[in-house]
Amino acid sequence: MTAVDAPTLLAEVEQRIAQLAAPTGPHPVQAAAARAAAGGKLLRPRLVMAAAGRSADRDAVVAVAAAIELLHAALLVHDDVIDGDEERRGEPSVAREARDLAAEAGLAPARAERLGLAAAIVTGDALLVRAIASLGSLDAPSALRSRVLGIVTRAMVRAAEGEHDDVLLAGATPDHAAIDRILEGKTADYSFRAPLELGAVLGGRDDAAIAALGDIGLRMGVVYQLRDDVLGVFGDEAITGKSTLSDIRAGAPTLLSALASRDPAWASVASHYGDPGADEGAAARVRHVMRGSGALDEVERRIADGGDEVRALLVAAPVEQSVRDELLQILARCVERGR
Amino acid sequence: MTAVDAPTLLAEVEQRIAQLAAPTGPHPVQAAAARAAAGGKLLRPRLVMAAAGRSADRDAVVAVAAAIELLHAALLVHDDVIDGDEERRGEPSVAREARDLAAEAGLAPARAERLGLAAAIVTGDALLVRAIASLGSLDAPSALRSRVLGIVTRAMVRAAEGEHDDVLLAGATPDHAAIDRILEGKTADYSFRAPLELGAVLGGRDDAAIAALGDIGLRMGVVYQLRDDVLGVFGDEAITGKSTLSDIRAGAPTLLSALASRDPAWASVASHYGDPGADEGAAARVRHVMRGSGALDEVERRIADGGDEVRALLVAAPVEQSVRDELLQILARCVERGR
């Protein structure tokens, strides 16, 4: 595997994802699963590929990269249910599509709503099962396979905890330790740490290198999530494709909101943060306090510092220069990205 | 493995389930997962054990039996969310417990409700991942492991479809084909066909025997579900531990309701079937039509005929007499059971 054929490899990963999610029957749940699996940015597969390096078994890398993206798709389907989000990747969410189809077919609103809930939960379940089962069918030595499954299980349990805490602490002003747990739990482990560890394991790296890449992944993931939190409130909707109202309406427990809430001016906007009916005017006032309190600057500083930290760790990491280069590129996109 | 030490084996399966679901950290999601995994009747492990016979690898049988029970626990957690059920096995459901704790901690009702939803979805996810990952770590030849995972994946996708259809067709009067799909999909495949196939595969049986046991399982599962449907409306709550109102309130699309709905008298009670506010008086009228229309008799006849069919297939099945005996015992409990 060389860096040169990375696009080819990525195309293979996409093909494998489509295969794993392909309907085996005509049921609408299967069609929904196939749609939910398509169209991701393949960030996680890229991380697996980067950490695996050029000497890893190509088939194993494709299989694991595809599985990790499919897991991500499953979590997104469930996340949309939990957050009540109606759109995903510019399309209706699974729950909304099922609900709308049911309503068109004549079901009463409450029944159509329940069908949307059911459809999204079972579609996510079907994707989860297929993703993990594909890892279990990995054609690899038993010790390697168990290690892969162990990493994925840990990351998924962590993601479950992070998702729970994200809802539990919505609208609250969590302390620093809780913020760290959310940042690391919800995204950083399964989206960065686990993919880098998986790639490292597939690349046959030693335990020190696996641990180093895992640590780098966790820190990259935190930077990514901090950037995501900023874009969620201050981003350009035309570029991010996401509403800059939804985090405010949900009262997302972010570092941004936690820092801003320590400013006396927060009292004047606290009731908007976590108010499902918050409008653009309310959001503008929240943003004003987030800026004026210095919270935005502080988060930007932590993003920059976190990026520097990762760069320093990468330089010292026991991996090839090509791996460093690829991860630096991905890091740059995480830190500087506009979407 | 002998029939004599089946209780010992079952104790090992319970131990393994507890291990698989044991918390690896102090988070409430992990505690919820451990609780949700405990206390099942172990019907599915019993079926795996019965079909495996005495020459199967003991460790593999325990591992697969435990995984299949854990999958069942995961599906129940998600099923309770979909059905809005507040109790499971005499305890608060995961969603209700999380919601009540959040409300006690001072969260507003809507936020506490959303936390309950989040907690139950991610708890089910964590159980699903652990169950499938444990099958992927099975210490068995690659072909055997893939076959195990293939069976489980098929059954889980089928269960997802059945759960969806159960909600889609609630309150409706589905045709016979749809009823069959629900009966087979929601329970019969993952609860009976798959466990028997898995046991047969672990027992090293040939394809004809695996197919025969799978077919027997599917039919046993249909009988089980028909009995469950009858108990859901006519059962003794003190014995079943389940309300005989909930199927009526949910408008469960059962053979019982489909047959009754063909009687002219159904028009007088149709509005109660699927009415979340239906009371004991309304339920009594629904039961009266189900009896008077002959629907109950017809379902009882199908349960009896289905049981006879399974018995005949078992006699002809290419398996040992001890396997036949154990499956006949389980069948008897499915047909005659009061809970």
Side-chain angles (χ1 to χ4, degrees):
Chain A
M1 192 168 77
T2 67
V4 177
D5 73 354
T8 319
L9 198 61
L10 214 49
E12 268 183 58
V13 171
E14 275 196 291
Q15 232 170 5
R16 184 69 62 91
I17 293 167
Q19 277 169 14
L20 285 175
T24 53
H27 196 280
V29 161
Q30 299 220 31
R35 273 197 307 276
K41 284 179 285 184
L42 305 180
L43 167 63
R44 292 149 195 86
R46 283 177 218 269
L47 290 166
V48 174
M49 286 163 51
R54 300 176 185 186
S55 59
D57 179 77
R58 191 187 173 91
D59 286 347
V61 170
V62 170
V64 169
I68 207 83
E69 182 71 11
L70 205 62
L71 278 178
H72 174 55
L75 290 190
L76 291 181
V77 171
H78 282 177
D79 184 52
D80 286 344
V81 174
I82 292 168
D83 293 344
D85 283 337
E86 305 243 312
E87 275 203 26
R88 173 60 67 180
R89 295 171 180 165
E91 306 277 328
S93 65
V94 173
R96 173 176 153 201
E97 178 159 64
R99 182 197 69 197
D100 289 355
L101 282 174
E104 278 169 34
L107 262 71
R111 291 256 329 280
E113 189 71 38
R114 199 159 79 87
L115 184 69
L117 175 72
I121 290 178
V122 303
T123 297
D125 287 355
L127 286 169
L128 268 189
V129 169
R130 286 182 177 189
I132 308 276
S134 80
L135 290 174
S137 297
L138 207 59
D139 185 18
S142 160
L144 176 62
R145 206 180 58 246
S146 286
R147 189 142 190 195
V148 164
L149 287 164
I151 292 169
V152 170
T153 303
R154 178 209 70 216
M156 293 295 293
V157 169
R158 198 87 192 272
E161 296 177 354
E163 183 83 23
H164 172 279
D165 292 350
D166 198 46
V167 175
L168 176 66
L169 299 171
T173 51
D175 60 24
H176 202 78
I179 291 283
D180 279 350
R181 272 207 314 278
I182 294 178
L183 284 170
E184 291 183 5
K186 205 184 159 195
T187 297
D189 196 338
Y190 97 87
S191 295
F192 287 84
R193 181 183 176 196
L196 289 184
E197 285 177 347
L198 291 169
V201 166
L202 294 177
R205 302 186 189 279
D206 62 22
D207 285 346
I210 296 169
L213 283 169
D215 180 46
I216 286 168
L218 201 58
R219 291 163 191 268
M220 279 180 80
V222 167
V223 170
Y224 176 93
Q225 187 59 54
L226 288 173
R227 171 58 67 218
D228 206 56
D229 292 343
V230 169
L231 290 172
V233 176
F234 293 96
D236 180 343
E237 289 186 13
I239 298 175
T240 63
K242 283 184 211 167
S243 161
T244 50
L245 281 177
S246 54
D247 271 10
I248 292 171
R249 287 177 172 168
T254 63
L255 181 60
L256 197 53
S257 68
L259 292 174
S261 70
R262 290 175 202 161
D263 192 282
W266 183 256
S268 66
V269 298
S271 66
H272 301 317
Y273 205 74
D275 171 12
D279 61 10
E280 201 32 76
R285 287 191 288 281
V286 170
R287 286 188 204 107
H288 184 76
V289 175
M290 284 178 168
R291 279 188 205 279
S293 64
L296 178 58
D297 286 346
E298 172 68 15
V299 174
E300 286 289 357
R301 195 182 62 73
R302 294 213 192 178
I303 292 173
D305 288 354
D308 290 345
E309 213 171 51
V310 172
R311 265 176 228 107
L313 288 169
L314 264 175
V315 169
V319 295
E320 314 86 85
Q321 189 56 42
S322 59
V323 174
R324 290 191 190 110
D325 291 344
E326 287 179 50
L327 292 178
L328 284 172
Q329 278 183 29
I330 294 176
L331 176 69
R333 284 205 293 269
C334 293
V335 177
E336 293 146 21
R337 74 201 173 97
R339 72 193 184 97
Chain B
M1 193 168 79
T2 66
V4 176
D5 73 359
T8 319
L9 199 60
L10 214 50
E12 269 183 57
V13 170
E14 275 195 292
Q15 231 170 7
R16 185 69 62 95
I17 293 166
Q19 275 169 15
L20 285 175
T24 54
H27 197 280
V29 160
Q30 298 221 32
R35 274 196 306 275
K41 282 178 286 184
L42 306 180
L43 167 64
R44 292 150 195 86
R46 282 177 217 270
L47 289 166
V48 173
M49 286 163 51
R54 300 177 187 188
S55 59
D57 178 76
R58 189 185 174 94
D59 286 345
V61 170
V62 170
V64 170
I68 207 81
E69 182 72 10
L70 205 61
L71 278 176
H72 173 55
L75 291 188
L76 291 182
V77 171
H78 282 177
D79 184 53
D80 287 343
V81 174
I82 292 168
D83 294 345
D85 283 336
E86 308 242 312
E87 274 203 28
R88 171 64 66 182
R89 296 172 179 164
E91 305 279 329
S93 64
V94 174
R96 174 177 153 201
E97 177 159 63
R99 185 196 69 198
D100 289 354
L101 281 174
E104 278 169 34
L107 262 70
R111 291 255 330 278
E113 188 71 39
R114 198 159 80 87
L115 184 70
L117 175 72
I121 290 179
V122 303
T123 298
D125 287 355
L127 287 169
L128 268 189
V129 168
R130 288 184 175 186
I132 309 277
S134 79
L135 291 173
S137 297
L138 207 59
D139 184 19
S142 160
L144 175 62
R145 204 179 61 246
S146 287
R147 191 146 189 191
V148 164
L149 287 164
I151 291 168
V152 170
T153 303
R154 179 208 70 217
M156 293 296 291
V157 170
R158 198 86 191 271
E161 296 178 355
E163 183 82 22
H164 172 280
D165 292 352
D166 198 46
V167 175
L168 176 67
L169 299 171
T173 52
D175 60 22
H176 200 78
I179 291 283
D180 279 350
R181 272 206 314 279
I182 293 178
L183 284 170
E184 291 184 4
K186 206 184 155 194
T187 298
D189 195 336
Y190 96 87
S191 296
F192 287 85
R193 182 184 173 196
L196 288 184
E197 285 176 348
L198 290 169
V201 165
L202 293 176
R205 302 186 188 280
D206 63 21
D207 285 346
I210 297 168
L213 283 170
D215 180 48
I216 286 168
L218 201 58
R219 292 163 190 268
M220 278 179 81
V222 168
V223 170
Y224 176 93
Q225 186 59 53
L226 288 172
R227 170 59 65 217
D228 206 54
D229 292 342
V230 169
L231 291 173
V233 177
F234 294 96
D236 179 343
E237 288 184 16
I239 298 175
T240 64
K242 284 184 210 168
S243 159
T244 51
L245 281 177
S246 54
D247 272 10
I248 291 171
R249 287 175 172 171
T254 63
L255 181 60
L256 197 54
S257 69
L259 292 173
S261 70
R262 290 174 200 159
D263 192 283
W266 184 256
S268 67
V269 298
S271 66
H272 301 317
Y273 206 73
D275 171 11
D279 61 10
E280 202 32 77
R285 287 192 289 281
V286 170
R287 287 187 203 108
H288 184 77
V289 176
M290 283 178 167
R291 282 187 202 279
S293 64
L296 178 59
D297 285 347
E298 173 65 16
V299 174
E300 287 288 358
R301 195 182 60 73
R302 293 212 194 179
I303 291 171
D305 288 356
D308 290 346
E309 214 170 51
V310 172
R311 266 175 227 109
L313 287 169
L314 264 176
V315 170
V319 295
E320 313 86 86
Q321 190 56 42
S322 58
V323 174
R324 290 192 190 109
D325 290 344
E326 287 179 49
L327 291 178
L328 284 171
Q329 277 182 30
I330 294 175
L331 176 70
R333 283 203 293 267
C334 294
V335 178
E336 293 147 20
R337 74 200 172 99
R339 69 190 188 103

